[in-house]
Structures are given as C-alpha cells and as structure tokens.
Amino acid sequence: MISILRRSLLVLLAALPLMGNAVAAPTAHDLVQDTTNKMLADLSANREKYKQNPTDFYNSLNAIVGPVVDAEGISKSIMTVKYSRKATPEQMARFQENFKRGLFQFYGNALLEYNNQGITVDAPKDESGDRTSVGMTVKGNNGAIYPVSYTLEKINGEWKLRNVIINGINIGKLFRDQFADAMQRNGNNLDKTIDGWAGEVEKAKAESEKNPQKDSGGE
C-alpha cells in the first residue's frame, strides 16, 4: 500500500510541470482587462502619494504594464529599419527602457487626474490569429467619452501590447515621426536621440494636444 502511494505521489509530482504548462495564457481581452484593473486599484490606493512624486507612479506603471508591452518590437518600429539595424544591442536595450518610461509619462499625468469616472473594456474580438485589438472607452471629467484601442500581437504564445491609439492619436506613429525628426536635428546621432528621448516625448505630447492625429491604420 505504501509502495502504491509512493508511486502515485511521484507520478503527481512529475505531472505538475506539465499541468502548469497546460494552463492557458490569458486572452488579449483578459490581459487588457486584468492589467487595467490592477493599474486602477494601485492608482486608487496611492493617488496622493503619486501626485507628490510622479516618479513613483511611473515606476509602478512600469511594474504593472511593462511586462505586457512588446518593448522590443515597438522600439524597432519607432526607430524604423533605417536606424534600428545600425543600433547596438546596448543602444536598443537603453531605448526600450526610455521608450517605456516615455510612454508612461505620456499619459501618466492624465491618469493621476482620473477619478473613477468610468472605464469600460469593449467585448472581445476574434483572437484566432496572431494580431488583434481590444477597445476601451474612458469617460472624462467633463463627461466626454474618449475611445482607446490597444493593438496586441501574440509572441511566443502570449499576447503583448504593440500599439495604442488614444482618442484618435496613434502613439506608435506619433513616436515614430518624433524619432525621425530628432535624428535629423541631432545629426543622425543615435546616442543623443536615445538619451534625449524624454524631452522628445514632451514635445510629442504638446504637439498631440494641439493637433490630434487620426488613426492612420499603422502600428
């Protein structure tokens, strides 16, 4: 009897890794919904602290949202092949981190002003391919409704965020245009553009507020 129990236990222990691998990865819709819930819960609990020190908020966003962002793919898209193929692995890694921080800064201040007016994730769409989108509506302080669309791609079996369109502003295109413009102004100095990316994001933010772009259908 003891021998049977021992063998059964060994079989169970051997199967645990397989059972873990069998757990289905979150759908794109669930990934957006769960990440949004975590982000809003954290913001609600720490709003006043974050208003005093926005850097803490950006770090929190990086911890919550960062893992679901395809930083490598987006960074290459922003740089375009023209510049990304010239970048060293160290430069790409540095830009990926600067990009994520810039993205969080881009809409972080607006989130700090959000006071639970209402965020609704749209119904799931077809996710049978390797690319899909998840829609969301955000209600502003003035009662206006702002549409948000997340583009996600399946990478190694997991959905990752590839682009965001906020109220008609295609963030991927906006940053791509800003990067190309910065490279021209910096004399094609890649390090200077990478290290100055935070300033470029501020310029892009100001430009988007003056002249909102409509979704061009790109990344």
Side-chain angles (χ1 to χ4, degrees), residues 1-217:
M1 183 66 177
I2 293 177
S3 176
I4 294 174
L5 289 174
R6 184 182 294 115
R7 287 198 299 271
S8 299
L9 179 58
L10 289 174
V11 171
L12 177 60
L13 291 174
L16 282 176
L18 299 178
M19 294 170 63
N21 292 335
V23 176
T27 66
H29 178 271
D30 289 347
L31 184 68
V32 170
Q33 182 74 73
D34 293 346
T35 303
T36 300
N37 290 343
K38 291 177 183 177
M39 181 180 66
L40 293 180
D42 176 71
L43 178 59
S44 178
N46 300 287
R47 186 186 308 278
E48 295 308 314
K49 182 182 76 171
Y50 291 157
K51 284 185 177 180
Q52 295 297 320
N53 190 351
T55 298
D56 285 348
F57 184 40
Y58 303 146
N59 291 337
S60 176
L61 284 176
N62 188 37
I64 296 172
V65 183
V68 306
V69 174
D70 177 21
E72 180 180 0
I74 299 176
S75 296
K76 289 181 178 179
S77 174
I78 292 173
M79 280 188 174
T80 69
V81 174
K82 180 179 180 180
Y83 301 114
S84 64
R85 65 185 177 186
K86 300 177 182 178
T88 66
E90 185 276 333
Q91 286 174 321
M92 286 301 304
R94 188 151 40 96
F95 183 66
Q96 287 174 30
E97 289 305 312
N98 289 352
F99 154 74
K100 286 193 294 183
R101 181 164 292 275
L103 177 64
F104 301 145
Q105 289 175 339
F106 188 85
Y107 67 92
N109 290 338
L111 281 174
L112 286 176
E113 299 302 320
Y114 175 76
N115 194 28
N116 299 322
Q117 294 91 344
I119 287 183
T120 305
V121 179
D122 296 350
K125 296 182 179 179
D126 179 24
E127 298 186 12
S128 58
D130 291 331
R131 189 180 181 94
T132 190
S133 63
V134 178
M136 176 188 291
T137 54
V138 180
K139 188 175 182 180
N141 290 327
N142 58 359
I145 300 298
Y146 300 99
V148 179
S149 177
Y150 297 96
T151 301
L152 298 99
E153 287 192 357
K154 188 173 286 187
I155 301 174
N156 297 325
E158 295 184 347
W159 290 105
K160 296 287 185 179
L161 179 67
R162 187 60 189 265
N163 192 25
V164 186
I165 299 169
I166 305 174
N167 198 32
I169 301 172
N170 188 320
I171 303 302
K173 182 180 185 303
L174 182 67
F175 282 1
R176 188 159 54 244
D177 292 346
Q178 198 69 26
F179 189 91
D181 181 63
M183 285 295 289
Q184 287 187 341
R185 285 187 281 104
N186 292 330
N188 286 326
N189 187 317
L190 193 55
D191 282 319
K192 188 174 181 179
T193 299
I194 291 173
D195 293 337
W197 185 245
E200 297 302 329
V201 170
E202 287 300 316
K203 293 178 184 177
K205 182 178 179 182
E207 185 64 26
S208 69
E209 290 172 348
K210 290 190 298 182
N211 302 301
Q213 302 179 31
K214 294 302 180 183
D215 174 21
S216 64

